[in-house]
Amino acid sequence: MMRRHWRPAAVAAVGITLLTSCGLNGQATTQSAELSDWFTVTSPAFRDGGEIPARFGCSGNGGRGKTPPLRWSGAPANTKAFAIVTDSADAPDGAAVLWLIANIDGTTTELVEGARPDKAVEGRNTSGKIGYTPPCPKRGDRQRYRYRYTIYALSEKVQMPQGAALKDSLNDIAKLTIGRGRITGNFSGA
């Protein structure tokens, strides 16, 4: 089996391109997802701009590697499904999508810690893996890295298979986005 090794600069360039295609860099990419269509996302585990507790990091940093609990409100009334994309534009190895999950029921308003909703599908992340990759800077790294949990309100369910390619998944989500919300947390290896 041939293994690909990506240089951090190449991964960052690809990641930034993909993040931009789905509006993850803060710019709306569809006419329907204007700034006024932002909704509120919170977490009982950390406040927006605050520190993500160590228990949500990787096991190398003393964490459990679970997703933090997330809550949202104010999504458009015609939302049929939600997608969540977790990314870090300034992670130690460069821009990265850490988790992509779609087709969460449109009536859902929260996910508990470590949740994987029934009937939802997960796309591949920047590493090519399916599933959540927790924050994991090197142990002792005191730099604070930003991790963004963006929830997209969708006009319909995304037609993507389990394990879909990242670029395809992001493009499909972008086409169906009618609103979005975000919470950002910080994490370090200290």
Side-chain angles (χ1 to χ4, degrees):
M1 182 166 122
M2 186 173 147
R3 296 184 104 173
R4 289 188 190 161
H5 297 282
W6 291 76
R7 293 183 187 178
V11 171
V14 169
I16 288 169
T17 300
L18 293 175
L19 294 175
T20 301
S21 72
C22 197
L24 296 175
N25 66 350
Q27 298 172 357
T29 60
T30 64
Q31 290 294 340
S32 60
E34 297 299 326
L35 190 58
S36 63
D37 292 328
W38 280 84
F39 54 89
T40 303
V41 177
T42 62
S43 176
F46 63 96
R47 63 177 172 69
D48 189 35
E51 295 298 318
I52 298 172
R55 73 177 186 269
F56 298 110
C58 66
S59 59
N61 286 326
R64 296 184 213 143
K66 293 184 177 182
T67 59
L70 299 170
R71 296 178 181 157
W72 55 93
S73 61
N78 58 336
T79 300
K80 301 292 188 241
F82 289 100
I84 300 174
V85 177
T86 302
D87 74 287
S88 181
D90 56 8
D93 293 330
V97 171
L98 305 173
W99 189 37
L100 186 148
I101 187 167
N103 296 344
I104 298 167
D105 185 270
T107 62
T108 304
T109 58
E110 73 176 310
L111 292 183
V112 297
E113 180 177 328
R116 293 293 195 288
D118 291 339
K119 300 181 183 177
V121 294
E122 293 178 293
R124 296 190 180 276
N125 61 25
T126 301
S127 302
K129 297 177 184 173
I130 300 169
Y132 181 70
T133 300
C136 198
K138 292 180 181 168
R139 194 167 187 82
D141 185 346
R142 295 201 174 289
Q143 170 141 353
R144 295 171 68 217
Y145 298 99
R146 292 174 298 142
Y147 293 86
R148 301 182 297 188
Y149 297 83
T150 307
I151 301 176
Y152 295 90
L154 307 176
S155 59
E156 61 186 78
K157 288 188 173 185
V158 177
Q159 300 301 310
M160 65 182 243
Q162 182 76 7
L166 177 60
K167 184 176 181 180
D168 295 339
S169 301
L170 290 174
N171 285 332
D172 290 345
I173 289 168
K175 290 175 190 173
L176 300 174
T177 297
I178 56 174
R180 61 185 167 163
R182 176 181 294 152
I183 185 170
T184 302
N186 298 298
F187 196 89
S188 70

